[in-house]
Amino acid sequence: MKNYRIVPGLTIEKKENRITLYNDFKGVCVYYDDLDVLCLLDEFHQVETKEELLNMHPNKEMQDAIHEFFECGIFEKKNSIIKNMNNESCYRIFVFNENQNNSTLWKFTNLIIMVGSIPCLLLGFFLSYNNILDLMNHFSLNYLISLIVGFLPFCFLHEFGHCISAIANHATVYDLGYYSKGINVGFYVFYGKAKHKKGNIQIALGGILLCFLICGILLIINSNLNNNYLLVMSLFYFFFNFTNLLVFQGFDGYNAINFYLGIENIESKIKRLIKHPFTTKYSKSDKKGCMILLLSRLFSILLICLFYILCLYAGLVYSGYI
């Protein structure tokens, strides 16, 4: 079908006589008992219209399944505006070719992000140390304008960092776009998984590390310019991405730890383990993984809170309030 495509990242599970299909992007799950709906995925490429596909299956159950495939977004329109699982309007900027070539350029860029981001950031802080101290004494609310100016560019760079790492690690990137729902705006990227654990961890951290690299470069540049607007923007978006290391669902730190552990449905297992610590029976590896995730979650909270408290205390001391 020219105006439709099979939704990227479709998860298919087949157990006994039940076929389950999960649309990750919309968060929609459909299942069928004793009905071979998988043939529709092959026939989709052989027809031009929905009516042709319906005519191939006079059976009412199959026709209902076809209608459901369209309604649930398994067969989705190739237009630029779609709805995700949070009912946010998503505007596609790029629709990537599924047969992406992870060329040397992508791999080299990913290597720079993985290896160079932290050293570049530390160098930026070192060179801008005096500028940061000076900012504490001459801070103005006018500098907050730079946060508004930098919001969308940094959001885009964060998602693009995931794209770079995904393509470099042989994971398919399907869509990169912009979403909005009321005042909630930002960018999104939709990609598949890499074939190995290391690649998935790099993809999870790619957005944070690219922003660290950009913040480091801006701090190095600002060490010569001494522009407080640029300095405030660099510091804020460093803190913003640093917070993304929290080990909670929805944060990149959680995704990285989850890929490292490689345990399916780990959240439900943790809840069951907390509710019934003595009666729940898990394998040693699952118990170990649950404990690592819980400890990582606690450590990430303590680390980030301690970091912010130290920064606040240092600012108050230097400014003469303490």
Side-chain angles (χ1 to χ4, degrees), residues 136-204:
M136 293 177 185
N137 283 330
H138 303 94
F139 186 80
S140 169
L141 290 177
N142 293 333
Y143 297 149
L144 298 181
I145 295 172
S146 63
L147 305 186
I148 300 172
V149 173
F151 177 73
L152 288 179
F154 266 92
C155 286
F156 176 79
L157 287 169
H158 180 94
E159 300 304 333
F160 193 62
H162 291 305
C163 280
I164 294 170
S165 297
I167 296 174
N169 284 284
H170 303 270
T172 303
V173 179
Y174 300 106
D175 295 332
L176 174 64
Y178 167 83
Y179 69 84
S180 66
K181 185 181 181 183
I183 61 171
N184 183 25
V185 296
F187 289 90
Y188 76 92
V189 63
F190 190 37
Y191 52 82
K193 290 183 180 180
K195 295 180 180 179
H196 47 85
K197 182 191 295 185
K198 180 182 175 182
N200 285 318
I201 294 171
Q202 286 186 8
I203 295 169

Side-chain angles (χ1 to χ4, degrees), residues 51-256:
E51 287 68 29
E52 286 183 40
L53 189 59
L54 288 168
N55 290 334
M56 293 175 69
H57 297 280
N59 183 295
K60 185 180 182 301
E61 289 184 343
M62 284 296 286
Q63 291 199 346
D64 289 342
I66 292 169
H67 288 301
E68 195 167 33
F69 271 39
F70 282 93
E71 290 169 6
C72 296
I74 295 173
F75 296 157
E76 66 167 11
K77 282 189 175 181
K78 291 181 180 178
N79 56 12
S80 59
I81 304 175
I82 51 176
K83 293 280 187 180
N84 67 2
M85 62 189 298
N86 299 319
N87 202 33
E88 296 164 332
S89 296
C90 297
Y91 306 86
R92 289 177 175 140
I93 299 173
F94 300 113
V95 178
F96 290 81
N97 184 348
E98 293 192 18
N99 299 317
Q100 292 149 6
N101 179 18
N102 59 325
S103 64
T104 305
L105 178 61
W106 291 104
K107 292 180 179 178
F108 181 70
T109 307
N110 184 61
L111 180 64
I112 291 174
I113 293 170
M114 295 297 133
V115 177
S117 55
I118 302 301
C120 182
L121 184 66
L122 294 175
L123 178 61
F125 274 114
F126 176 76
L127 295 176
S128 295
Y129 176 73
N130 291 329
N131 294 345
I132 294 171
L133 295 180
D134 185 60
L135 177 67
M136 293 177 185
N137 283 330
H138 303 94
F139 186 80
S140 169
L141 290 177
N142 293 333
Y143 297 149
L144 298 181
I145 295 172
S146 63
L147 305 186
I148 300 172
V149 173
F151 177 73
L152 288 179
F154 266 92
C155 286
F156 176 79
L157 287 169
H158 180 94
E159 300 304 333
F160 193 62
H162 291 305
C163 280
I164 294 170
S165 297
I167 296 174
N169 284 284
H170 303 270
T172 303
V173 179
Y174 300 106
D175 295 332
L176 174 64
Y178 167 83
Y179 69 84
S180 66
K181 185 181 181 183
I183 61 171
N184 183 25
V185 296
F187 289 90
Y188 76 92
V189 63
F190 190 37
Y191 52 82
K193 290 183 180 180
K195 295 180 180 179
H196 47 85
K197 182 191 295 185
K198 180 182 175 182
N200 285 318
I201 294 171
Q202 286 186 8
I203 295 169
L205 297 177
I208 294 175
L209 293 179
L210 177 59
C211 286
F212 280 0
L213 181 64
I214 300 298
C215 287
I217 292 171
L218 292 178
L219 288 171
I220 292 170
I221 293 171
N222 190 67
S223 64
N224 295 317
L225 296 179
N226 197 16
N227 184 306
N228 284 337
Y229 288 94
L230 187 61
L231 183 59
V232 168
M233 182 171 67
S234 303
L235 293 174
F236 177 81
Y237 287 108
F238 160 71
F239 290 133
F240 185 80
N241 280 276
F242 185 70
T243 306
N244 210 352
L245 288 171
L246 278 168
V247 185
F248 284 91
Q249 282 183 303
F251 291 87
D252 290 342
Y254 174 84
N255 294 332

Side-chain angles (χ1 to χ4, degrees), residues 136-137 310-321:
M136 293 177 185
N137 283 330
L310 288 175
C311 289
L312 179 62
Y313 179 76
L316 293 173
V317 168
Y318 186 80
S319 301
Y321 291 103

